Amino acid sequence: MLMEAALASVRFGLGAQPGEMARAAADPQAWLRAQINPTAAHLGTRAAQALPTSNDAITALVKRRKDMKAGGDEALRRAARRSLVQEISARNQHAQRTQTPFAERWAQFWANHFTVAATRIETVYLAGPFEREAIRPHVFGRFETLLKAATLHAGMLSYLDNHRSFGPSTRVAQRRGLGLNENLAREVLELHTLGVDGGYTQTDVESLAKALTGYVPGFSPAARRDPGKPVVFAEFVHEPGAKTLMRQRFRADGQGQAPAMLDFLSQHPSTANHISRKLARHFIADMPPRSAVDALTHTFKRTRGDLSAIARQLIELEEAWALPLGKVKTPQELMISAARILGLSSAFGRARKSYAGFAQTPLLAPSPVGWADTADVWLSPDAMMKRVEWANQVARRSRMPANVFLTEALGPLASAADHSTLRRAESPAQAMTLALMSPAFQRR
């Protein structure tokens, strides 16, 4: 069972901690199933408990709007940057120390699926609260609950500009020459539910965008009639009337119309297939077996999007336990897996600099698509050189013998040839560099 324990730690988890494979070896699948627990996906570090909430973020952003009118807000920008560093640090510490690494990988998958990136001042404040409030509490619940929590959170509404979307027939839109912003509706359909080939049309995008009008983050001027809340439904900018989405008619229901549409999308067959394909690609292979996608899709449909049941189905897939290791670790995954063996400071050094060098800083995905999940993006010649540079830096700080590292990190996944290569190294640091750059450690 030691090989299965290694796969449980490396493929389903975040990379083994010292002794983790031995703990999982009695029953690797049972070890994973025990982590399918809503509380296991929460950030557990003390630092996380001190991080700002959406309420805190909205309060700061309302203050910023007032400061801008007064002529400056540089202090608030510095505070936002400090908050982002604290968010990333808390996330790193949790990933390094957690005893439920499958739950954390599962949570990070969904956080990437529903990307909110800290690319402007509003989302610098809201990206962390979004992940902690809208994603982590719901990743083992029902997909419809997760979808609504993510779509209607202040972070997503801000990131995809829903506070700039106005019902075309509303008085405020007609008086000021304003109209729909389709960003949120388009990404919900293309990325979060149906998928680009899911059968929706431009008319469906417009219909969902109209239903979503009125949902604004609390810092928006449209929220001024109900101040102090992270999210407000401002009915005076909502496009009234019944609407049709994917040939389904939704009655005029004001604040309830968009949630009803999201419930409908969560149960659509295209959504089941799109989500299942992404899960199989993340956990199994860049080109996952059709049989694995079909099994996950069947479970999604049968359970009406029960994410705990889908996670259990994933664990039971024969394809998920096949060798060889089929996925290249992203830079984030690479550093986290090293941190779990060597310690946070050894693996990350100055974390922001390490992430920036790899061009994969947490909470800063380049687009709503999120971080890429396939090898072609992360294995360019330049990217490989950066991996070597990182491995050299880590090796100079590490005090763990390279052969011990290979055994603890990979167990039987490290071949006799891998160990033989280490014995030919000219120094302990070179041996550790070779261990970190070994194909088995670079993959999962």
Side-chain angles (χ1 to χ4, degrees):
M1 298 290 281
L2 194 55
M3 180 61 78
E4 288 79 7
L7 287 170
S9 292
V10 171
R11 178 173 291 162
F12 290 92
L14 301 170
Q17 293 174 326
E20 183 173 282
M21 290 183 197
R23 294 192 295 272
D27 190 338
Q29 288 196 23
W31 180 72
L32 293 172
R33 282 194 297 271
Q35 300 178 43
I36 302 175
N37 182 320
T39 61
H42 293 188
L43 283 185
T45 62
R46 290 183 180 179
Q49 297 171 5
L51 293 171
T53 65
S54 291
N55 282 318
D56 298 328
I58 294 300
T59 298
L61 288 164
V62 170
K63 180 181 183 300
R64 179 198 180 228
R65 191 168 71 239
K66 294 177 180 176
D67 289 347
M68 288 180 69
K69 291 178 181 178
D73 67 332
E74 184 55 34
L76 196 64
R77 288 181 176 275
R78 288 196 298 270
R81 288 192 289 268
R82 287 195 299 270
S83 176
L84 183 61
V85 171
Q86 291 170 349
E87 293 280 2
I88 294 172
S89 177
R91 204 174 189 260
N92 286 346
Q93 289 179 36
H94 179 70
Q96 180 205 356
R97 298 168 181 170
T98 182
Q99 299 296 302
T100 54
F102 173 51
E104 180 61 13
R105 175 172 290 285
W106 186 260
Q108 290 193 17
F109 168 85
W110 289 109
N112 194 55
H113 179 76
F114 292 105
T115 287
V116 167
T119 50
R120 57 176 182 257
I121 189 71
E122 292 85 2
T123 52
V124 168
Y125 271 103
L126 285 164
F130 169 79
E131 182 177 307
R132 287 181 280 109
E133 297 168 359
I135 303 300
R136 290 179 179 274
H138 305 296
V139 295
F140 288 124
R142 303 195 68 81
F143 180 71
E144 64 187 37
T145 304
L146 175 61
L147 175 63
K148 286 184 288 190
T151 305
L152 303 178
H153 189 275
M156 186 69 77
L157 296 172
S158 174
Y159 179 54
L160 293 178
D161 303 310
N162 212 60
H163 54 301
R164 296 186 173 94
S165 189
F166 300 85
S169 69
T170 61
R171 183 180 301 176
V172 64
Q174 293 182 354
R175 187 170 65 244
R176 300 182 185 178
L178 303 171
L180 287 178
N181 185 301
E182 299 175 358
N183 288 353
L184 178 57
R186 188 175 303 281
E187 305 307 6
V188 166
L189 294 170
E190 180 177 328
L191 302 179
H192 302 160
T193 59
L194 306 176
V196 67
D197 55 353
Y200 67 90
T201 66
Q202 174 59 25
T203 300
D204 294 316
V205 174
E206 293 170 4
S207 183
L208 180 57
K210 290 175 181 177
L212 287 164
T213 52
Y215 279 96
V216 297
F219 64 80
S220 168
R224 66 184 183 274
R225 297 181 183 179
D226 194 5
K229 295 182 179 180
V231 173
V232 170
F233 183 73
E235 191 151 12
F236 73 100
V237 299
H238 173 70
E239 179 67 11
K243 300 173 184 66
T244 300
L245 177 69
M246 304 287 288
R247 297 179 295 280
Q248 181 80 16
R249 185 172 173 82
F250 293 85
R251 65 186 179 88
D253 190 23
Q255 187 172 356
Q257 192 174 60
M261 286 187 172
L262 295 173
D263 284 343
F264 166 75
L265 290 170
S266 73
Q267 300 302 320
H268 197 281
S270 292
T271 297
N273 186 67
H274 176 59
I275 299 299
S276 298
R277 187 166 58 242
K278 283 192 70 173
L279 282 167
R281 186 172 66 220
H282 181 78
F283 282 93
I284 299 174
D286 288 0
M287 297 292 290
R290 184 71 243 180
S291 56
V293 177
D294 288 345
L296 292 170
T297 301
H298 175 74
T299 299
F300 194 111
K301 292 176 179 177
R302 178 179 59 81
T303 65
R304 297 182 62 81
D306 183 335
L307 298 179
S308 290
I310 295 165
R312 287 191 290 271
Q313 176 66 73
L314 175 68
I315 291 167
E316 294 169 4
L317 290 176
E318 182 178 345
E319 299 91 334
W321 297 89
L323 289 171
L325 297 174
K327 295 288 297 184
V328 170
K329 293 176 182 176
T330 68
Q332 285 187 27
E333 293 168 346
L334 184 63
M335 288 193 284
I336 288 170
S337 60
R340 286 177 66 79
I341 289 292
L342 298 173
L344 186 67
S345 60
S346 295
F348 289 95
R350 296 179 62 187
R352 289 180 67 193
K353 185 176 180 180
S354 299
Y355 279 133
F358 275 132
Q360 200 191 15
T361 303
L363 304 179
L364 279 171
S367 79
V369 176
W371 297 110
D373 199 19
T374 54
D376 58 305
V377 176
W378 302 113
L379 290 186
S380 68
D382 179 63
M384 288 303 298
M385 283 302 301
K386 289 177 179 175
R387 289 181 184 236
V388 172
E389 292 168 3
W390 167 82
N392 282 329
Q393 293 169 4
V394 172
R396 287 195 294 269
R397 293 192 295 268
S398 173
R399 296 294 178 265
M400 182 180 287
N403 62 326
V404 174
F405 171 87
L406 272 189
T407 299
E408 290 285 355
L410 298 172
L413 293 171
S415 67
D418 291 326
H419 285 281
S420 177
T421 298
L422 302 189
R423 289 193 291 271
R424 295 196 297 272
E426 296 179 358
S427 67
Q430 186 185 68
M432 180 56 76
T433 297
L434 292 170
L436 289 162
M437 289 302 298
S438 65
F441 189 72
Q442 292 282 319
R443 293 180 173 269
R444 59 173 179 85

